Amino acid sequence: MLILFNKPFGVLPQFTDNSAAPRPTLADYVAVRGVYPAGRLDMDSEGLMLLTDDGRLQARIADPRHKMEKTYLVQVEGDPDQDALRALQTGVTLKDGPTRPARVEPIDAPDLWPRDPPIRVRKSVPDHWLRLTISEGRNRQVRRMTAAVGLPTLRLVRWQVGNWTLDGLAPGQWREAGAD
């Protein structure tokens, strides 16, 4: 079984939470037993999470050795110039080493649902959207990559993993999909 889930902002990307002040988890949205996340998406990010009961599929999706591409819609603070885009395209060096090259392009603001809470907007600093595709999945990697080139991430929405997309799923919704 493979489930595509549109994880809302602020939802813990696991089924349980042992913190003193409980936070929303996957269990608040997906009432299917025996499925587990294939990869992670931090609480501050939104978008596509894949949940499966198939260990081999989970490994194929999550293991960086398989180089499964993940595409993000990223709202950044600042104006992405050619040097910043080129750095992302060739790979940037983070504290845990260099990243693989990314595919990146500036895009018009996508037609997305409003985020709750909304991002902070500063009238004196422009923001822009990028479509960024990576083939690895380090902790908070996209945020760290854009920060490394002087473009802090304001909003991050994972739109696609491999051939699976978020298309047609509102925040908090899920649907079963084929294992392609």
Side-chain angles (χ1 to χ4, degrees):
M1 172 184 299
L2 178 66
I3 291 175
L4 309 182
F5 173 58
N6 186 348
K7 186 190 90 58
F9 178 85
V11 172
L12 194 63
Q14 56 196 42
F15 282 94
T16 58
D17 182 17
N18 297 323
S19 67
R23 301 165 288 189
T25 68
L26 298 178
D28 295 315
Y29 296 91
V30 180
V32 176
R33 292 194 172 280
V35 295
Y36 300 93
R40 295 190 51 93
L41 191 62
D42 66 57
M43 282 185 60
D44 298 333
S45 299
E46 308 163 71
L48 184 60
M49 281 194 74
L50 303 177
L51 310 171
T52 184
D53 61 354
D54 180 338
R56 289 182 359 148
L57 178 60
Q58 184 178 23
R60 186 168 58 100
I61 293 167
D63 192 319
R65 290 178 296 180
H66 297 290
K67 299 180 179 155
M68 185 167 284
E69 290 189 338
K70 299 158 192 77
T71 299
Y72 298 84
L73 305 179
V74 189
Q75 186 177 18
V76 295
E77 186 175 84
D79 195 2
D81 61 21
Q82 288 306 311
D83 290 339
L85 296 175
R86 197 170 13 266
L88 293 168
Q89 290 167 345
T90 58
V92 296
T93 300
L94 304 175
K95 288 181 181 178
D96 55 351
T99 66
R100 292 182 186 142
R103 288 198 320 272
V104 62
E105 64 179 324
I107 59 172
D108 292 333
D111 185 20
L112 295 173
W113 55 89
R115 195 185 89 173
D116 183 24
I119 64 151
R120 63 177 164 79
V121 176
R122 296 184 355 195
K123 291 181 179 168
S124 61
V125 180
D127 62 83
H128 290 67
W129 283 88
L130 303 172
R131 177 178 293 115
L132 187 103
T133 301
I134 60 173
S135 61
E136 53 188 339
R138 300 183 203 177
N139 186 40
R140 299 179 71 86
Q141 180 175 343
V142 171
R143 292 177 187 281
R144 294 188 300 139
M145 288 174 70
T146 62
V149 298
L151 300 168
T153 294
L154 298 172
R155 186 174 182 191
L156 182 64
V157 178
R158 183 162 55 200
W159 188 260
Q160 184 169 348
V161 176
N163 293 324
W164 301 289
T165 72
L166 197 59
D167 201 30
L169 280 178
Q173 288 186 333
W174 63 272
R175 71 172 171 261
E176 202 168 332
D180 294 349

